[in-house]
Amino acid sequence: MQYISDAVRQFLGVTPSDVARDHGLLLKHVVPEDAPQLRRSALVSVRRMVPWQCEYRVNTPEGDVRWHMTSAVPHKEPDGTVLSHGFTMDITDRKRAEQEIERLAFYDALTGLPNRRLLLDRLQRSIAAGQRTKAQGALLFIDLDNFKDLNDTLGHDMGDQLLSQVAARLVGSVREADTVSRFGGDEFVVMLENLSADLHEAASQAEIVADKLLASLNEPFALDGGQHYSTPSIGITLYGEQRLTVDELLKRADLAMYQAKAAGRNTQRFFDPDMQAAVNARSNLEADLRQGLARGELMVHYQPVVDHDGKLVGAEALARWRHPQRGMISPADFIPLAEQTGLILPLGQTVLHTACSQLAAWAQNPATAHLTLSVNVSARQFRQAGFVAQVLGTLKDCQADPHRLKLELTESLLLGDIEDTIERMEQLKKEGVGFALDDFGTGYSSLSYLKRLPLDQVKIDQSFVRDVLSDPNDAAIVRTILALAKSLDLEVVAEGVETAGQLGFLRLHGCEGFQGYLFGRPVPLEEMDAFLYPHQ
Ligand code: C2E
Ligand code: CA
Ligand code: CA
């Protein structure tokens, strides 16, 4: 006698008597992919007389797919036939919860891509499989260039939008079998499997994919109605031959990525063992910089700024780092690092404080009281909460005249919340602080924005000044900047003036402020005396 519960009506829309007539009826509702495993496990149970449990999906009469679990114990009847007693449960809710947990644990919420954990798991399997099949695999470590700038200036929402679009492009540029994962922040890792067993061939296969990714990410992104450009740096390493750990492989791809950055960004590089040393040095540098700041190794040099008669009108404060072992380190080497790590905030404050104290000291002497000091301010520093109060507080603490302080901002600031930028500038301007736009011509600024900013000065980037006599294009840019500045009633300082020829050209076209080796290199304060009192 077989008993079939009435619940089958509710579960599958069939009656117990239908099922009693035809057992195959139940199986017809099982999702075809799950049926073989269901049949196999049921058979095993009956043959070996062991309890049976199976989870499988069924199609309901309403057209949904639900998860069922059947549990049964086989039992021999006196006549030798085997019957199983058991029950079936709907476990859809539990399955959904499990899938949700899996999604949360292994997938990135923003992009829906596999996360770091899932990548590590797949990589582990792939390395093991590669040992058997001898096929090479490749890891591509992708970091977006200047993502932090965009995030700091346009805000996190915009940053998130960009990351989602990047994710979609990466997925669209590789084969379905390849893994695209979000490794963290603005880092993505792509894992290519089953490349050629031949090392060189595999390398060129990986290179082709990297080029494809580069091209795809170089297309403009539509963010909030505007177009934005983002570029990636890609590091590549192959795996297959040697027995390397997951950690080691990722480290290699990461090192290669830094090599791509060092090569000017928006490019790709393969891992090569020499990189190791170079990048170890980088992480040491970060630790050193943190310590160096605390120990007062950061100092300020001053570079003269002169007027059209070559008379000193002020100076630019430039950060210097006197490393105990490595000697003087250029700001070009540690400012980007400081920006990435947030150390730019204490660093910037140190420079600002030094400059304000110097202004106060100069104010004591009639020969120097008129001099101005320009201080570089990074976008990240300018955007930090309380920046305005910090500057005003520092001026006050040092008893420096705000009218003698100029803050040099870069065009990257114009990328962001422009209203907020104007607001902050205006608050400082009200107290007398001046503003210069640094490295003018190299960034994103559009003229309409430029007009809206309460600027006093633009600085022509030294890259234009360098070739002003030999490159007609640079000459045209310099002339245009000078004409534009005049129409907007802005002062101009040309940077990087090294020769009398450059000076002549600049003066001819109306430039009135100059800075460069022709007049003086950045020097410690003591050596500024030579400029201050030239006739002594
Ligand atoms: P910058 O603001 O464009 O500063 C001018 C750079 O040009 C300085 O490099 C200066 O030494 C160099 N320079 C001046 N005259 C000449 C010349 O005639 N020929 C050549 N070839 N170069 C000349 P430095 O001091 O290495 O600074 C590099 C950059 O580091 C600065 O560029 C600035 O962007 C950044 N920086 C320096 N100090 C600070 C700081 O306190 N805060 C922030 N946020 N950035 C800073
Ligand atoms: Ca500057
Ligand atoms: Ca500059």
Side-chain angles (χ1 to χ4, degrees), residues 56-114:
Y56 53 93
R57 288 165 298 173
V58 297
N59 293 305
T60 67
E62 293 79 34
D64 302 336
V65 173
R66 296 194 69 85
W67 278 94
H68 284 183
M69 182 194 75
T70 300
S71 235
V73 181
H75 171 79
K76 243 189 192 106
E77 295 293 296
D79 66 356
T81 59
V82 176
L83 273 183
S84 292
H85 304 271
F87 59 90
T88 294
M89 266 168 46
D90 186 303
I91 55 163
T92 308
D93 289 346
R94 194 196 85 202
K95 276 286 179 189
R96 289 216 177 114
E98 278 172 15
Q99 281 164 357
E100 178 65 5
I101 290 167
E102 184 185 273
R103 193 180 62 76
L104 293 174
F106 290 109
Y107 291 86
D108 170 52
L110 175 67
T111 60
L113 293 179

Side-chain angles (χ1 to χ4, degrees), residues 97-293:
E98 278 172 15
Q99 281 164 357
E100 178 65 5
I101 290 167
E102 184 185 273
R103 193 180 62 76
L104 293 174
F106 290 109
Y107 291 86
D108 170 52
L110 175 67
T111 60
L113 293 179
N115 65 12
R116 177 195 288 248
R117 201 180 289 132
L118 184 52
L119 174 81
L120 295 180
D121 182 70
R122 289 195 187 165
L123 182 56
Q124 185 83 60
R125 288 165 205 265
S126 177
I127 293 170
Q131 300 286 332
R132 286 195 308 275
T133 63
K134 302 288 174 236
Q136 297 275 339
L139 273 191
L140 280 62
F141 201 109
I142 302 159
D143 185 280
L144 301 182
D145 303 326
N146 305 319
F147 178 76
K148 292 204 174 58
D149 271 357
L150 180 120
N151 221 23
D152 289 348
T153 52
L154 290 188
H156 289 283
D157 280 358
M158 228 39 89
D160 283 358
Q161 278 188 35
L162 179 72
L163 291 172
S164 302
Q165 293 185 28
V166 165
R169 287 190 193 181
L170 292 177
V171 171
S173 308
V174 300
R175 300 171 303 182
E176 205 162 330
D178 299 325
T179 298
V180 177
S181 68
R182 177 154 180 227
F183 203 63
D186 59 341
E187 295 171 339
F188 297 83
V189 172
V190 174
M191 182 175 94
L192 309 176
E193 292 183 274
N194 292 319
L195 301 179
S196 165
D198 176 75
L199 200 64
H200 288 102
E201 216 169 291
S204 77
Q205 288 171 322
E207 192 171 12
I208 289 167
V209 175
D211 284 341
K212 208 168 152 195
L213 298 178
L214 271 167
S216 150
L217 297 186
N218 269 271
E219 294 293 317
F221 291 87
L223 292 184
D224 201 28
Q227 276 200 346
H228 283 274
Y229 288 86
S230 175
T231 59
S233 295
I234 304 182
I236 311 170
T237 190
L238 296 177
Y239 62 91
E241 262 193 319
Q242 307 127 298
R243 286 193 162 274
L244 289 170
T245 64
V246 166
D247 282 349
E248 184 62 28
L249 278 174
L250 279 165
K251 204 157 162 202
R252 290 183 163 201
D254 188 41
L255 293 177
M257 186 276 290
Y258 274 108
Q259 201 75 355
K261 292 247 187 238
R265 304 174 165 206
N266 197 21
T267 187
Q268 42 129 316
R269 283 289 181 274
F270 275 86
F271 171 80
D272 128 35
D274 289 346
M275 275 180 221
Q276 190 98 37
V279 179
N280 286 349
R282 181 187 180 273
S283 55
N284 291 342
L285 194 65
E286 180 184 340
D288 283 3
L289 181 56
R290 208 171 283 280
Q291 269 196 354
L293 262 170

Side-chain angles (χ1 to χ4, degrees), residues 434-464:
F435 286 96
L437 193 61
D438 205 358
D439 305 338
F440 186 68
T442 61
Y444 322 81
S445 46
S446 81
L447 295 182
S448 57
Y449 277 177
L450 192 60
K451 264 195 238 168
R452 295 188 53 199
L453 294 184
L455 289 169
D456 303 276
Q457 185 183 84
V458 294
K459 298 187 84 169
I460 304 181
D461 189 60
Q462 49 181 287
S463 62
F464 302 121

Side-chain angles (χ1 to χ4, degrees), residues 316 318 376 408 438-439 459 495:
E316 176 172 359
L318 291 158
N376 295 285
E408 295 195 1
D438 205 358
D439 305 338
K459 298 187 84 169
E495 290 186 300

